[in-house]
Amino acid sequence: MLLFFSIFGFIGIAVMAFLWGSGDGFGSPPLFFKVFGSFIALGFMVMGFGVPLSLLRKRKGVVELMEEMIPKPPPAQLACPNCGANLGNADVSPSGDAKCSYCKGWFNIHRRGV
């Protein structure tokens, strides 16, 4: 992937070298085209060398970058069946037993179908 993006940077360098390296002789592009073409070549170079450098700086693979873009669903909110209070960060045992911090009632989250 880094090689693919860097190809655009090398295309920008080639265009810039052609525009400004041809001299002022016969067949060279006018100054307006040199300046305009230089801005386009600069865009190619920024994209072609900027994306690989930013990927190398983060040191993350494509899979990790794509996982960051996908929004994660919010965690399910558990409520006490006795009083309806939100459990928040209540401790739940491995068997699913939980104690409501508001009404102090015990219940099992697996029996509720959650």
Side-chain angles (χ1 to χ4, degrees):
M1 181 168 171
L2 298 176
L3 181 64
F4 173 75
F5 279 112
S6 63
I7 289 172
F8 290 102
F10 290 118
I11 289 173
I13 289 175
V15 169
M16 192 80 79
F18 167 75
L19 288 174
W20 294 100
S22 61
D24 291 332
F26 180 74
S28 67
L31 181 64
F32 173 77
F33 290 120
K34 286 182 180 181
V35 171
F36 187 74
S38 295
F39 284 122
I40 293 173
L42 185 65
F44 270 83
M45 287 188 289
V46 166
M47 185 190 126
F49 296 129
V51 171
L53 288 177
S54 66
L55 288 176
L56 286 174
R57 203 173 294 156
K58 288 184 178 181
R59 298 197 193 290
K60 293 183 180 178
V62 176
V63 175
E64 289 87 6
L65 291 174
M66 294 300 284
E67 286 176 352
E68 287 180 1
M69 289 185 199
I70 298 172
K72 294 180 175 80
Q77 297 292 326
L78 295 176
C80 176
N82 300 327
C83 66
N86 187 5
L87 288 181
N89 293 333
D91 291 330
V92 178
S93 71
S95 63
D97 293 329
K99 183 177 182 181
C100 178
S101 59
Y102 184 73
C103 71
K104 308 296 184 210
W106 286 91
F107 63 96
N108 191 300
I109 62 171
H110 296 303
R111 290 190 192 133
R112 292 183 36 204
V114 176

